[in-house]
Amino acid sequence: MSKPKFGIVVFPGSNCDADSYHAVANVFGAEAVCLWHKETSLKNSDVVILPGGFSYGDYLRCGAIAKFSPIMAEIQNFARKGGRIIGICNGFQILVETGLLPGALIKNRDLKFICDWVDLTLVNNRTPFTAKGETGRVYRLPIAHGEGNYFIDDDGLKRLQDNGRIVFRYRENPNGSTDDIAGICSEAGNILGMMPHPERASESILGGEDGRFIFESLL
């Protein structure tokens, strides 16, 4: 069976698109194509990555402008058809702003940008993104964000909890996220948003390989 083709969306201000491309193409040997934000085709991608960075500078609010990019309409169509989408850091923020995932990502609790490695517990391995992971196991991944404080109201949180949509939780919550949430999935399970960066933890030379299982699950 051939490997899926990955499409990596590039916005003005994206800065982890090259990292994602490297992980997919060079580390895991899958076909990858960059998708400029003005394009209206996903070029037959099987998996779409919304990478980290600062789309359009994030001067208004993280992801608030990116959601109006021409390519986002096609991504929403792709999502409705069950296409697999992973939003990492700024990509998670864009998915929330677009309404493909619930909640909001607000400024970190201490109002400081955090660049560090953190421990996560995998809560749900019944998604296409985490099937090769072990529920309950602790994974160590890097984070780098100023607005990674995930917020959702009580009713929304209960829906996430009741439907198994919380995918990752921080072991020591670095940013004040509700219920220690580091990543969630859509109701259908085909969309994952997470603040930690698995593409930066896919080779030992980068300091760790705990992000590999996410790409291996998608392959």
Side-chain angles (χ1 to χ4, degrees):
M1 184 176 176
S2 61
K3 294 179 178 177
K5 179 179 179 180
F6 287 73
I8 301 163
V9 182
V10 182
F11 300 95
S14 295
N15 63 15
C16 296
D17 47 310
D19 297 345
S20 297
Y21 184 96
H22 171 72
V24 169
N26 299 327
V27 178
F28 298 101
E31 183 179 1
V33 60
C34 291
L35 304 170
W36 184 234
H37 70 117
K38 288 187 176 180
E39 296 187 48
T40 55
S41 168
L42 301 184
K43 299 181 179 179
N44 297 316
S45 299
D46 301 299
V47 182
V48 170
I49 297 177
L50 295 173
F54 301 91
S55 53
Y56 298 92
D58 280 342
Y59 296 113
L60 176 61
R61 190 175 62 247
C62 295
I65 302 300
K67 71 177 180 180
F68 296 110
S69 289
I71 202 166
M72 291 308 298
E74 188 55 33
I75 287 176
Q76 292 188 64
N77 290 332
F78 184 66
R80 282 192 285 270
K81 295 174 183 175
R84 291 170 292 173
I85 302 169
I86 176 171
I88 302 167
C89 197
N90 193 220
F92 186 13
Q93 294 161 340
I94 294 168
L95 290 173
V96 168
E97 287 289 333
T98 308
L100 290 173
L101 290 174
L105 286 150
I106 60 178
K107 290 186 181 299
N108 294 341
R109 176 181 49 211
D110 61 2
L111 304 181
K112 294 181 179 177
F113 189 94
I114 304 172
C115 184
D116 203 352
W117 287 72
V118 296
D119 290 334
L120 312 170
T121 300
L122 176 59
V123 180
N124 180 358
N125 70 349
R126 301 180 307 280
T127 81
F129 311 92
T130 56
K132 294 289 179 68
E134 180 182 346
T135 297
R137 178 179 161 181
V138 176
Y139 294 86
R140 190 163 180 79
L141 296 178
I143 58 171
H145 57 246
E147 298 183 28
N149 182 353
Y150 181 76
F151 173 81
I152 192 165
D153 61 24
D154 291 342
D155 289 342
L157 177 60
K158 187 174 187 306
R159 283 194 291 274
L160 291 181
Q161 294 169 335
D162 291 348
N163 295 310
R165 292 173 57 187
I166 298 172
V167 180
F168 293 105
R169 281 196 177 96
Y170 297 109
R171 296 277 288 179
E172 295 183 10
N173 193 334
N175 51 31
S177 290
T178 301
D179 199 26
D180 301 329
I181 288 173
I184 61 171
C185 65
S186 61
E187 187 171 0
N190 62 310
I191 305 170
L192 172 69
M194 60 187 297
M195 290 310 296
H197 288 263
E199 80 282 8
R200 295 184 185 176
S202 58
E203 297 174 281
S204 59
I205 195 172
L206 299 177
E209 297 184 298
D210 278 2
R212 292 182 61 91
F213 81 94
I214 293 177
F215 295 100
E216 291 169 347
S217 297
L218 290 165
L219 297 174

